Amino acid sequence: MSVHGKSYVYLGLAFGLSWLVVAVGWFLGGATSPTIAVLTMAVMMLGPSLAAIVCATVFEKGRRREALGLWFKPNIWWFWAWVIAIAIAVGSSAITIASGHAEYLDPGQNYLTQLRATAPDVAAQLEALPVTWILIAQAAVLNALLSTPLLLISEELGWRGYLYDLWRRFGFLRYTLATGMLWGLWHAPAIYLFGLNYPENRVIGIPMFVVFCILFSFPHTLVRDRGKSVVAAAILHATSNAVGGTAMLALTQAAFPWSGVVGVGGFVMLTIVAVVCWTVSVAAKTPADVATTD
């Protein structure tokens, strides 16, 4: 089967499986039950990787591991994937503060303030501890490590695994823009039905998140290229998810659309990162880029 044929099959499965899960979750009461909503979105995330495994099994006999990008030999770019994710979170918050749309809060004190409203005894026990540093270490190290295999076996095995194998030959820019747009659109039902990332602005949240995913795809493609494994992309994605919430604790409540990493501050930071990533890629083209023109 041609690359285009494989692409249609993969995308049909990835979107179909995930959107079916969202529809079932909505039918079961996800609109009113936070537990069902969270479970629905967790299962939805498996769609891209399940589709990748099916397509690799059927279409890529003899090269399934290569088609999925499952290589486990670390290099320095696995570390850079982690650093880039932290830089994006910190930079997004810094830009939001510098713009005047939020003020800086000590993350530990902000967390304790929120905790006092629900568990005052626990908050009292934590007051003597360096809560800010505990939160940072937990997010950037522990949560990032725990989340990486989860993101690997859910989204990344598809977007930066199988789809990378199919489309990276068309050039850095084409692959990145196309994957980012589809990645964002794939989230649309979760945003509209369950309020993912934009609970109070669901309609405008869909195009906003498409833009976010397009910009966020630039560092994903770079670390996937240089890290020579889908694992590098999973590290970037997982660390970004892990540290995003902690970065938000460093801000006073910012009005929409200044919503942390997925708001305007994040878009500005990601635009800077995207330009740098594209520049780095152009400066050292891969064989796929030499064969095509971005």
Side-chain angles (χ1 to χ4, degrees):
M1 184 179 286
S2 69
V3 169
H4 294 300
K6 294 176 183 178
S7 301
Y8 294 140
V9 173
Y10 169 73
L11 292 171
L13 284 173
F15 276 75
L17 290 170
S18 294
W19 287 13
L20 177 61
V21 168
V22 173
V24 171
W26 177 260
F27 178 78
L28 293 176
T32 56
S33 171
T35 300
I36 293 176
V38 170
L39 288 174
T40 297
M41 287 188 283
V43 177
M44 170 200 175
M45 300 301 167
L46 297 172
S49 289
L50 289 175
I53 292 169
V54 170
C55 289
T57 301
V58 174
F59 301 133
E60 312 297 341
K61 295 179 181 178
R63 57 179 304 275
R64 290 164 182 158
R65 183 180 178 186
E66 179 183 350
L68 294 173
L70 283 173
W71 307 109
F72 298 98
K73 185 178 180 180
N75 64 28
I76 189 62
W77 280 91
W78 292 29
F79 170 74
W80 278 115
W82 180 74
V83 171
I84 291 169
I86 295 173
I88 290 171
V90 172
S92 299
S93 293
I95 290 169
T96 302
I97 293 170
S99 72
H101 289 85
E103 296 180 0
Y104 173 77
L105 291 176
D106 180 272
Q109 291 305 312
N110 192 11
Y111 174 75
L112 289 174
T113 299
Q114 296 178 24
L115 191 61
R116 289 187 189 103
T118 56
D121 293 340
V122 176
Q125 294 173 6
L126 293 177
E127 286 179 355
L129 299 176
V131 178
T132 296
W133 290 107
I134 292 173
L135 289 174
I136 292 172
Q138 178 179 320
V141 181
L142 180 60
N143 291 354
L145 285 173
L146 293 175
S147 298
T148 294
L150 297 178
L151 267 299
L152 174 64
I153 63 174
S154 58
E155 294 187 53
E156 290 308 321
L157 203 60
W159 307 125
R160 257 65 62 168
Y162 190 65
L163 202 57
Y164 178 94
D165 184 67
L166 292 178
W167 287 359
R168 184 61 181 86
R169 69 194 73 188
F170 300 121
F172 182 96
L173 189 58
R174 289 189 183 94
Y175 163 74
T176 301
L177 293 176
T179 303
M181 181 185 68
L182 291 168
W183 186 25
L185 288 173
W186 171 79
H187 287 85
I191 296 171
Y192 184 73
L193 296 177
F194 298 119
L196 178 67
N197 293 322
Y198 306 96
E200 305 300 326
N201 301 273
R202 301 185 183 198
V203 175
I204 191 64
I206 293 173
M208 283 189 66
F209 201 65
V210 170
V211 173
F212 169 82
C213 286
I214 289 172
L215 294 172
F216 199 23
S217 288
F218 279 83
H220 276 84
T221 302
L222 182 65
V223 300
R224 173 65 180 88
D225 280 350
R226 300 304 183 85
K228 302 185 184 304
S229 171
V230 68
V231 177
I235 292 170
L236 171 59
H237 194 164
T239 305
S240 180
N241 285 1
V243 301
T246 302
M248 287 290 289
L249 286 172
L251 301 174
T252 55
Q253 186 66 40
F256 180 83
W258 292 84
S259 316
V261 177
V262 295
V264 175
F267 289 9
V268 174
M269 183 62 191
L270 282 169
T271 299
I272 296 169
V273 171
V275 170
V276 172
C277 291
W278 189 15
T279 302
V280 171
S281 177
V282 170
K285 285 184 176 291
T286 68
D289 293 318
V290 172
T292 57
T293 303
D294 281 333

